[in-house]
Amino acid sequence: MLLNSAEQNTESSVQETHSANVRRSRRTGKELINQFEILRELGEGSFGKVVLCRDVNQQYSRLAMKIIRKFSSKKSSSENKAYLDDIRREVAIMKRLDHPNIVHLYEVIDDPNSDKMYLVMEYLPGGPVLNKDSSSLSEHRCRIYMRDIVMGLEYCHDNGIIHHDLKPENILIGQDGHLRICDFGVSIICRNDDKETVLRGTPPFLAPEVIIRSQTKQPFAGKPVDIWALGITLYMMVFNRAPFKGHQIQETFKLIVHQKLSFPFRLSNELTDFLNKILDKNPDTRINMDEIKVHPWLTNFGQEPFPAKLKGIEITQKELDDAFTSILPLRMVIDVKRRLHKHLLDARDKISRNENRSEQSVTNDTTDNSELNDDQIMDEIISDRSQRDPNLDDQIENNENDWKGGRQNINSSFIRDDKQDPLSSAHNKEINNMQSEIQQANLFNVPQSNLQQQRPDFPNVF
């Protein structure tokens, strides 16, 4: 499936490595993953964590590595499959994106015998464009930063990618001082109609039409939603706070839908006009990307036009399928192994005897299989497949074939269409909560006088 219209790159420049040698450095004692030495943790999320690392083959190289769990023992089988959809889509997108204002992915380390995968990316030492200790930025600095974000976002939109979580936290400052858009975890690859019905993103950055139409599953366009979030991000850079904020999420939703945009202090006429147009609550009259790129505030009255667009990209269904080596067959092995209790104990006893374990060890190892965790079971499966009962292999193979038979349906969910629009697993609970908050907000019966009052900052917004 082709996702752009103009010129296209035909190959990804991202290196793909299918083995992960995880060990400790004898010299420094730090963890090594292939040639990458882990230096310190940069952040952590539901997917795993991001660490700073260095390539030991290049003395001064500093890189960021995103360590992703391929499944979680805390999730159900269906949740893990949906979670893999999210990962697969993010990896496929990042493999193909090649733009100076989007974080660059260098290498994907994906060992089929590992429950983790590793994304090696450029390290952006400047951190987020805003954080809790930031102060307001000057109009001049905001214009420079906005031009970077606009060019990166336009590149995404031109290639059928809706980011869906654009916010200061996901916009990082590179060593060259320019901004990079990152975190495509809830992004979607859309068709030409650009219509969707799923609630995605962070509450204070959601567009009014998303809040209103998601209640009745009415479709809305994706690009204007990103442009609204771009406007919220600019407002926060200028005023160091969000424009619509309440004590609770449902109150924030009411303000987004009903409250009139206001400015804490006077701005230039051009910036005031730009903010009013980009934060227009009506998506049909909201400024679009072509209009943004010729607005007097961003172009300094035409003296600083935007450069020509870069080449388009191509993301095929095969690239989505091959984004990484799925560990689901191994997960299915775990499920089979738990059901076939007797065969498991026999297989583990054979392994234990071959490794000359003590009698006490064997006794401890033959406790109820439900007490074993996934890592222990998986280690045994991978360590010596040759010593398992042949009947067990047959049952495992049948189970894996059953899973593969349904894989087409799973893969089809990576590309959104009108009939199928699955929720992002990583945000499933959060989305359900937001849907509930929207219902409780009773958006269509709100006294306007109550919405004009000043509110304290939203808890997670600067």
Side-chain angles (χ1 to χ4, degrees):
M1 178 179 56
L2 211 56
L3 295 177
N4 78 307
S5 54
E7 293 181 79
Q8 298 155 359
N9 297 320
T10 57
E11 293 183 2
S12 170
S13 60
V14 177
Q15 180 178 335
E16 298 186 40
T17 304
H18 298 292
S19 63
N21 182 10
V22 181
R23 63 203 186 280
R24 290 282 173 183
S25 168
R26 293 180 179 179
R27 186 175 63 85
T28 65
K30 296 183 180 294
E31 184 179 13
L32 282 167
I33 301 167
N34 292 351
Q35 77 272 28
F36 300 104
E37 184 179 61
I38 307 302
L39 301 179
R40 62 182 173 89
E41 186 173 312
L42 297 174
E44 189 168 4
S46 59
F47 60 86
K49 61 183 177 181
V50 178
V51 298
L52 177 66
C53 64
R54 73 180 186 93
D55 186 337
V56 296
N57 298 329
Q58 300 179 29
Q59 186 176 0
Y60 299 106
S61 174
R62 291 291 184 273
L63 299 160
M65 176 183 288
K66 190 171 185 178
I67 303 174
I68 301 174
R69 294 184 292 267
K70 289 184 182 178
F71 72 86
S72 170
S73 58
K74 297 180 180 179
K75 291 182 172 70
S76 67
S77 178
S78 60
E79 287 176 331
N80 271 303
K81 288 177 183 178
Y83 172 67
L84 284 175
D85 290 356
D86 295 342
I87 299 173
R88 197 185 304 274
R89 186 173 53 248
E90 178 181 11
V91 173
I93 288 172
M94 290 194 66
K95 279 183 178 180
R96 301 302 294 158
L97 292 178
D98 185 12
H99 191 278
N101 297 118
I102 295 175
V103 65
H104 189 73
L105 176 66
Y106 294 112
E107 183 175 352
V108 176
I109 302 174
D110 176 26
D111 191 328
N113 290 329
S114 172
D115 65 342
K116 295 178 183 176
M117 69 179 305
Y118 309 88
L119 308 184
V120 182
M121 304 174 287
E122 67 175 317
Y123 171 53
L124 303 170
V129 65
L130 287 180
N131 57 51
K132 62 181 180 180
D133 299 320
S134 298
S135 57
S136 300
L137 305 179
S138 68
E139 279 199 30
H140 176 69
R141 175 56 54 188
C142 288
R143 179 165 54 245
I144 293 173
Y145 281 169
M146 277 296 292
R147 287 172 63 89
D148 283 348
I149 305 169
V150 165
M151 287 188 284
L153 186 60
E154 179 189 42
Y155 178 79
C156 292
H157 287 183
D158 284 351
N159 293 286
I161 297 166
I162 308 300
H163 189 280
H164 267 304
D165 203 18
L166 197 66
K167 56 185 178 181
E169 180 183 343
N170 291 336
I171 302 167
L172 307 181
I173 304 174
Q175 195 164 3
D176 58 2
H178 288 283
L179 303 189
R180 315 280 200 279
I181 298 173
C182 69
D183 198 343
F184 291 83
V186 296
S187 301
I188 64 166
I189 305 169
C190 68
R191 299 182 190 275
N192 293 331
D193 60 9
D194 184 31
K195 296 288 185 181
E196 53 185 302
T197 60
V198 175
L199 183 66
R200 305 170 189 267
T202 304
F205 298 85
L206 292 179
E209 64 269 22
V210 176
I211 296 169
I212 294 171
R213 297 180 184 179
S214 64
Q215 296 180 86
T216 55
K217 297 296 182 182
Q218 292 179 330
F220 52 85
K223 292 178 183 178
V225 170
D226 272 354
I227 287 174
W228 172 274
L230 178 67
I232 298 293
T233 298
L234 173 59
Y235 189 102
M236 292 181 66
M237 289 195 292
V238 174
F239 298 113
N240 201 33
R241 70 173 184 85
F244 309 110
K245 53 194 188 314
H247 290 291
Q248 305 294 333
I249 291 178
Q250 62 182 14
E251 187 179 6
T252 297
F253 286 156
K254 291 179 183 179
L255 298 175
I256 290 172
V257 173
H258 293 290
Q259 188 180 44
K260 184 179 178 180
L261 183 65
S262 62
F263 306 117
F265 52 82
R266 185 176 178 83
L267 305 172
S268 69
N269 292 336
E270 293 73 34
L271 178 53
T272 300
D273 179 73
F274 185 75
L275 281 168
N276 278 319
K277 288 179 175 177
I278 200 170
L279 291 177
D280 184 344
K281 294 184 188 294
N282 184 348
D284 296 329
T285 55
R286 188 176 304 148
I287 193 171
N288 61 36
M289 191 61 74
D290 289 337
E291 293 167 335
I292 286 174
K293 290 179 62 181
V294 296
H295 192 277
W297 181 73
L298 268 185
T299 62
N300 194 17
F301 296 95
Q303 296 181 42
E304 301 171 14
F306 279 80
K309 297 180 182 181
L310 298 185
K311 287 182 179 181
I313 61 172
E314 174 186 356
I315 299 179
T316 64
Q317 180 64 51
K318 185 177 186 304
E319 285 176 316
L320 282 166
D321 295 345
D322 299 339
F324 67 90
T325 303
S326 175
I327 199 167
L328 272 177
L330 289 177
R331 180 70 186 182
M332 299 304 291
V333 170
I334 293 173
D335 294 337
V336 172
K337 199 167 186 183
R338 281 176 169 154
R339 291 195 298 270
L340 303 176
H341 184 77
K342 182 177 183 301
H343 292 293
L344 292 172
L345 297 181
D346 292 343
R348 289 195 347 236
D349 287 344
K350 291 177 184 178
I351 295 172
S352 298
R353 287 194 295 272
N354 288 341
E355 293 181 352
N356 298 317
R357 291 179 181 173
S358 66
E359 182 177 349
Q360 183 60 42
S361 261
V362 175
T363 303
N364 292 339
D365 192 41
T366 56
T367 55
D368 187 348
N369 190 59
S370 62
E371 296 179 2
L372 295 174
N373 62 39
D374 289 348
D375 290 337
Q376 290 172 316
I377 296 174
M378 185 169 289
D379 286 343
E380 292 174 15
I381 294 168
I382 295 171
S383 65
D384 193 348
R385 287 173 174 254
S386 64
Q387 299 192 54
R388 286 207 311 263
D389 188 327
N391 294 328
L392 178 60
D393 283 328
D394 291 340
Q395 295 181 62
I396 289 171
E397 182 177 357
N398 291 336
N399 200 305
E400 289 182 353
N401 288 336
D402 290 341
W403 173 81
K404 291 175 182 176
R407 184 174 180 181
Q408 184 177 0
N409 292 332
I410 297 171
N411 288 339
S412 66
S413 69
F414 304 145
I415 307 295
R416 181 198 51 75
D417 58 33
D418 292 335
K419 296 181 180 179
Q420 190 172 20
D421 202 355
L423 295 177
S424 169
S425 169
H427 294 259
N428 236 356
K429 292 182 180 178
E430 183 178 344
I431 288 171
N432 290 335
N433 290 337
M434 285 194 288
Q435 291 280 20
S436 176
E437 297 285 1
I438 289 173
Q439 295 293 339
Q440 295 177 41
N442 194 15
L443 296 171
F444 304 103
N445 295 287
V446 183
Q448 293 298 310
S449 59
N450 293 345
L451 296 172
Q452 303 302 326
Q453 302 173 12
Q454 290 295 323
R455 306 288 186 179
D457 286 344
F458 190 86
N460 294 321
V461 179
F462 316 121

